[in-house]
Amino acid sequence: MENCIFCRIVNKQIPSKIVYEDENILAFHDIDSKAPVHILIIPKEHIPSMNDINQQNCNIVSHIFYAIPHIVEKLGVKGSGYRVVANCGKDAGQTVDHLHFHILGGRSLSWPPG
Ligand code: 5GP
Ligand code: ZN
């Protein structure tokens, strides 16, 4: 997917501040952080959104959630708390059509979100 910005980040064609990487997933700092800690975790495989998770690719979701405790510990918010957000589609404000999970932390987060 040469036009996908996150695929380009996976392929290191666009630089990013990586906090975790393995064979199947990548975590990096959001370029426009909305909290002191704002990370994006993505599958390396191009999956456009939550709507495209299926029996063939769903293992990547558990892989991402398995990595989260390790990543948040590294970021120093495991004890203080954090939020995991996945925007899907127009009404949720999804702007990049490559599945991603936001991790937000480092301050008190309002609830419910806008
Ligand atoms: P969404 O709005 O789709 O849930 O989240 C997309 C996120 O990707 C936004 O928070 C935006 O700041 C981030 N983003 C967009 N382009 C880039 C980029 O080139 N590099 C990084 N690190 N983050 C990006
Ligand atoms: Zn992509």
Side-chain angles (χ1 to χ4, degrees):
M1 295 298 290
E2 69 267 16
N3 290 327
C4 171
I5 202 156
F6 286 176
C7 283
R8 290 169 69 85
I9 285 175
V10 166
N11 295 328
K12 313 283 163 64
Q13 294 166 301
I14 295 177
S16 67
K17 289 190 198 161
I18 294 172
V19 296
Y20 177 84
E21 180 170 18
D22 65 29
E23 203 184 329
N24 298 305
I25 70 172
L26 185 70
F28 54 96
H29 289 271
D30 194 294
I31 205 167
D32 180 20
S33 56
K34 281 94 181 165
V37 170
H38 187 175
I39 300 296
L40 300 169
I41 310 181
I42 68 171
K44 289 190 169 178
E45 179 190 355
H46 181 84
I47 299 170
S49 84
M50 197 85 80
N51 287 340
D52 302 292
I53 293 168
N54 56 43
Q55 206 167 13
Q56 278 68 49
N57 63 23
C58 64
N59 280 351
I60 202 67
V61 178
S62 56
H63 187 128
I64 285 171
F65 277 78
Y66 175 70
I68 285 175
H70 169 71
I71 293 169
V72 294
E73 183 162 38
K74 208 168 158 184
L75 295 166
V77 295
K78 190 173 186 180
S80 51
Y82 56 91
R83 183 170 294 159
V84 183
V85 175
N87 295 319
C88 182
K90 184 168 66 66
D91 280 356
Q94 183 178 4
T95 57
V96 178
D97 291 335
H98 181 129
L99 180 66
H100 52 282
F101 295 86
H102 299 255
I103 302 242
L104 297 143
R107 66 167 167 81
S108 184
L109 301 161
S110 60
W111 187 262

